[in-house]
Amino acid sequence: MSANGKYETVIGLEVHAQLLTDSKIFCGCSTKFGADPNTQTCPVCTGMPGSLPVLNRKAVEFAIKTGLAMDCEISLFSRFARKNYFYPDLPKGYQISQYELPICERGHLDIKTSEGTKRIGITRIHMEEDAGKNIHEGAGPYSLVDLNRAGVPLMEIVSDPDLRSPEEASEYMRRLRTILRYIGVCDGNMEQGSLRCDANVSVRPRGQRELGVKVELKNMNSFRFVEKALEYEITRQTKAIEDGEKIIQETRLWDSAAGVTLSMRTKEEAHDYRYFPEPDLVPISVEKNWIEEIRKGLPELPGQKIERFIKEYQLPEYDSELLASEKPLAEWFEEAVKLGGNPKAASNWIMGELMRLLNEEGLSIEEKPAVKPAMLVEMIGLIENGTISGKIAKTVFEEMYKTGKQAKIVIEEKGLVQIADAGSLAPVIDEILARNPKEVERYKAGDEKLIGFFVGQVMRATKGKANPALLNELLKKKLS
Amino acid sequence: MSIDIKEVTHIAKLARLSLTGAELELYSTQLSGILGYVEKLKELDTGGIEPTSHVLDLKNVMREDRVRPSLPEDEVLANAPDRKDGFYRVPRIIE
């Protein structure tokens, strides 16, 4: 038995999501990304003595909204706590976070695995403020501190240790990101750090009840890195156990350039945060009707949308999942169907050509407003009524995508109308047959596979405009 | 209850303070004295009383999500011992 089969991996994720508020969580400074250093700071977020924090109502609303989207229990009574540690990016000497009594607890999120749907528990969701940013200048003796990010509202979403592989972990991250984007509480941008992920990972012999010693992984800022870092760490821990070494409880950083995890600090020197209730902020008592109001504002969630697409449009699960992965894409698809587009045809064009062209430019559908569902619907109609072939349609679609012109105009300008009358097609076929007497002979002698050769030749001569059904019919007639 | 030298050393480390041997001893004595004083409160029977986290009888003090002007750069950095290009400059901090 391989080492992998003997051991089981246990993973829990702590995801930090930046909330899409305009202002910071405890003061009115802007949260906009990319401003000049320290231009979005004030006495509150720089920790000046005598300043007092005041909670941003929207941050609470967003945290509750997230909790509802993940079937959490919303705490009717919640409060903030101080997490004490010293670091230059934390001007107060403590981070305002939540410890006991977080805003949401006990929810879940369903993920797809090779063995079907799996339910992953959500332990808790709490609110906290972000820290500033440190920049280390080369090898010089200084670091630079920018406090624009200090006080930006974050939500920490902690999963139960229910994940069993790197693939499950990244699938969980993807699902989570999709939900956060659907409900509009986080933009999910991992590169800019608005969605960050830490993982607790341990390995234990299969069948053992108690968990192995866990290691905390940090600094995985893409789905791919989440998988790679976990894979590396699982291999490292498994080998250590096989070699009879002890796993040390520690924090390790993922080094994406080297493709390894490196020890950052061990438990013995771990921070002792000395949490206590934040005296500067009064408790939150969530009114039930506020929760209901927020619940009413929830959009259809990805899971619900996938189910509905399968039922309402008879789409395969694969199509539904892909279309529902981004809300604007799902809306684009539904708009096309509403305008009369055949759902499966629309789905094929979106998943194939549209996604390919968008990916080539690194754009999402909402960044390409010139490409409209109506244009696709019109083009599908032109395929259905035989004006263009499916093959030519690819050229038409790409041209529509690039120029924003309607299918009819593209077809006219480029002379792409299908040759669908025998009178125009027959002379072309005759010419091809006359030019290839040997092949004609072989075909007549029984090598019927050569039909493909003739089709190809005619298609080339007509630049792909021949109607395939008519072409086949005429060819067979002439060759018999 | 007393706070021994080891405990003071640990707390000093968390607070990023470097203390001399004499200071460690001084603070050990002083902190033990303070805790001894607080220890007296333990004589009170507080069974059945909810721990107090806030002394004010207030809840739900919140503000609307509206951006307000931040401080001008010069004011922000006015108290900084050192700066560079709008950043605070501090001794190197790689952990």
Side-chain angles (χ1 to χ4, degrees):
Chain A
M1 200 185 228
S2 73
N4 269 340
K6 274 198 327 216
Y7 297 98
E8 180 181 50
T9 305
V10 178
I11 302 165
L13 293 186
E14 286 171 17
V15 174
H16 286 90
Q18 187 182 317
L19 296 172
L20 278 174
T21 55
D22 294 329
S23 66
K24 292 186 179 180
I25 185 167
F26 300 125
C27 64
C29 289
S30 168
T31 55
K32 209 168 256 158
F33 184 81
D36 285 340
N38 296 305
T39 52
Q40 289 170 180
T41 62
C42 74
V44 174
C45 57
T46 52
M48 294 295 165
S51 65
L52 282 173
V54 185
L55 180 58
N56 184 337
R57 190 180 159 87
K58 192 116 210 163
V60 184
E61 182 191 318
F62 281 177
I64 294 174
K65 202 170 182 183
T66 309
L68 290 173
M70 296 190 213
D71 278 324
C72 289
E73 291 166 25
I74 310 302
S75 309
L76 298 180
F77 187 79
S78 180
R79 69 170 171 239
F80 285 93
R82 286 189 185 180
K83 179 178 179 177
N84 299 281
Y85 66 94
F86 278 85
Y87 212 63
D89 60 14
L90 192 76
K92 296 191 295 298
Y94 56 86
Q95 177 192 30
I96 303 179
S97 180
Q98 294 197 283
Y99 189 56
E100 317 144 304
L101 308 175
I103 188 80
C104 311
E105 289 183 277
R106 288 178 293 277
H108 56 82
L109 186 104
D110 290 342
I111 64 166
K112 283 267 175 300
T113 71
S114 49
E115 287 121 50
T117 302
K118 182 172 171 180
R119 179 153 284 189
I120 306 301
I122 302 290
T123 315
R124 58 186 273 150
I125 300 175
H126 73 245
M127 298 172 277
E128 61 186 27
E129 58 178 340
D130 206 346
K133 207 167 75 187
N134 298 319
I135 295 164
H136 311 291
E137 286 188 301
Y142 299 106
S143 292
L144 302 177
V145 182
D146 173 11
L147 295 179
N148 283 347
R149 208 179 59 187
V152 164
L154 295 179
M155 189 165 57
E156 180 173 325
I157 304 160
V158 183
S159 86
D160 290 341
D162 290 345
L163 300 158
R164 290 292 174 271
S165 68
E167 295 74 35
E168 284 187 13
S170 79
E171 169 68 7
Y172 167 87
M173 273 300 280
R174 275 174 224 275
R175 296 268 159 180
L176 182 58
R177 179 175 180 273
T178 302
I179 291 178
L180 297 179
R181 285 171 58 86
Y182 258 68
I183 62 177
V185 299
C186 174
D187 66 18
N189 189 327
M190 292 184 83
E191 266 160 41
Q192 283 180 6
S194 33
L195 192 66
R196 314 197 275 267
C197 168
D198 300 339
N200 286 309
V201 53
S202 64
V203 168
R204 66 181 168 192
R206 207 166 277 281
Q208 178 182 303
R209 286 209 115 201
E210 59 269 32
L211 294 168
V213 176
K214 74 173 178 191
V215 165
E216 189 182 8
L217 290 185
K218 284 183 179 285
N219 203 29
M220 304 171 289
N221 60 354
S222 77
F223 294 118
R224 204 166 57 89
F225 290 159
V226 169
E227 273 194 46
K228 290 214 153 193
L230 284 167
E231 269 161 25
Y232 177 89
E233 187 56 24
I234 292 162
T235 310
R236 187 190 72 84
Q237 289 186 24
T238 306
K239 187 174 178 302
I241 296 172
E242 289 268 288
D243 293 350
E245 284 168 31
K246 252 182 111 182
I247 305 287
I248 306 161
Q249 184 171 348
E250 61 182 345
T251 301
R252 297 177 73 89
L253 272 190
W254 167 245
D255 179 339
S256 58
V260 298
T261 65
L262 298 170
S263 181
M264 191 175 144
R265 53 174 177 245
T266 55
K267 181 72 181 162
E268 290 84 87
E269 47 190 277
H271 295 302
D272 169 1
Y273 293 123
R274 293 157 296 141
Y275 282 98
F276 62 85
E278 167 58 272
D280 287 348
L281 287 162
V282 298
I284 310 162
S285 166
V286 179
E287 303 283 336
K288 282 199 170 137
N289 50 13
W290 192 24
I291 299 178
E292 285 321 304
E293 198 182 298
I294 296 169
R295 194 193 302 277
K296 275 190 207 125
L298 277 178
E300 182 181 37
L301 295 170
Q304 299 165 330
K305 215 182 263 296
I306 292 167
E307 291 300 311
R308 186 167 63 79
F309 280 7
I310 295 173
K311 256 177 82 180
E312 203 170 320
Y313 305 123
Q314 282 82 50
L315 285 184
E317 189 177 14
Y318 178 85
D319 294 43
S320 306
E321 295 244 354
L322 206 139
L323 293 172
S325 65
E326 293 287 341
K327 199 162 152 230
L329 191 68
E331 283 165 357
W332 204 95
F333 162 76
E334 287 217 273
E335 178 68 19
V337 173
K338 256 187 220 131
L339 293 170
N342 171 295
K344 182 56 186 153
S347 163
N348 286 348
W349 281 100
I350 292 169
M351 294 192 309
E353 293 306 290
L354 181 57
M355 295 294 276
R356 180 179 68 78
L357 292 163
L358 285 170
N359 285 342
E360 267 172 22
E361 290 192 282
L363 293 179
S364 57
I365 188 71
E366 67 268 39
E367 291 167 308
K368 201 79 189 177
V371 184
K372 295 190 171 64
M375 294 159 70
L376 174 62
V377 175
E378 187 204 0
M379 193 193 77
I380 292 174
L382 293 171
I383 303 170
E384 282 169 355
N385 71 18
T387 308
I388 50 170
S389 67
K391 201 168 168 218
I392 285 291
K394 285 196 180 176
T395 314
V396 176
F397 190 86
E398 187 157 352
E399 196 62 22
M400 289 197 317
Y401 178 91
K402 285 186 177 145
T403 61
K405 287 179 185 164
Q406 279 180 280
K408 273 196 185 122
I409 293 168
V410 171
I411 292 165
E412 208 166 287
E413 281 180 358
K414 300 219 146 196
L416 294 172
V417 176
Q418 183 161 243
I419 306 170
D421 62 304
S424 312
L425 201 52
V428 185
I429 296 175
D430 291 339
E431 198 195 323
I432 295 294
L433 295 183
R435 249 197 278 152
N436 299 283
K438 270 193 210 150
E439 282 76 11
V440 172
E441 224 167 275
R442 274 170 55 202
Y443 179 88
K444 285 187 172 162
D447 193 354
E448 290 189 355
K449 279 196 308 250
L450 275 170
I451 191 84
F453 165 77
F454 295 121
V455 170
Q457 291 294 309
V458 177
M459 279 299 185
R460 188 182 295 176
T462 60
K463 299 203 176 77
K465 288 185 288 184
N467 176 302
L470 180 68
L471 170 58
N472 263 301
E473 188 193 318
L474 289 177
L475 260 175
K476 283 191 178 144
K477 211 185 281 172
K478 285 180 189 291
L479 285 164
S480 65
Chain B
M1 188 179 167
S2 73
I3 296 244
D4 60 17
I5 299 282
K6 213 178 123 203
E7 189 73 19
V8 180
T9 309
H10 175 63
I11 294 166
K13 193 183 170 200
L14 291 174
R16 301 283 198 269
L17 295 173
S18 75
L19 302 178
T20 65
E23 283 170 327
L24 286 174
E25 261 175 56
L26 176 68
Y27 295 142
S28 166
T29 315
Q30 288 182 344
L31 288 169
S32 298
I34 292 166
L35 280 189
Y37 180 68
V38 174
E39 199 76 356
K40 203 158 174 59
L41 290 173
K42 280 197 181 165
E43 290 169 18
L44 268 178
D45 179 11
T46 54
I49 295 173
E50 280 271 311
T52 306
S53 67
H54 295 81
V55 289
L56 299 173
D57 188 24
L58 274 176
K59 281 182 291 193
N60 297 339
V61 178
M62 299 188 213
R63 41 173 271 274
E64 293 308 309
D65 180 29
R66 231 170 268 128
V67 175
R68 298 187 46 178
S70 295
L71 284 181
E73 188 185 314
D74 268 345
E75 264 183 64
V76 170
L77 298 174
N79 297 320
D82 194 8
R83 65 166 97 173
K84 193 197 173 198
D85 305 332
F87 289 95
Y88 295 90
R89 191 158 82 160
V90 299
R92 195 172 175 81
I93 32 158
I94 289 270
E95 219 177 314

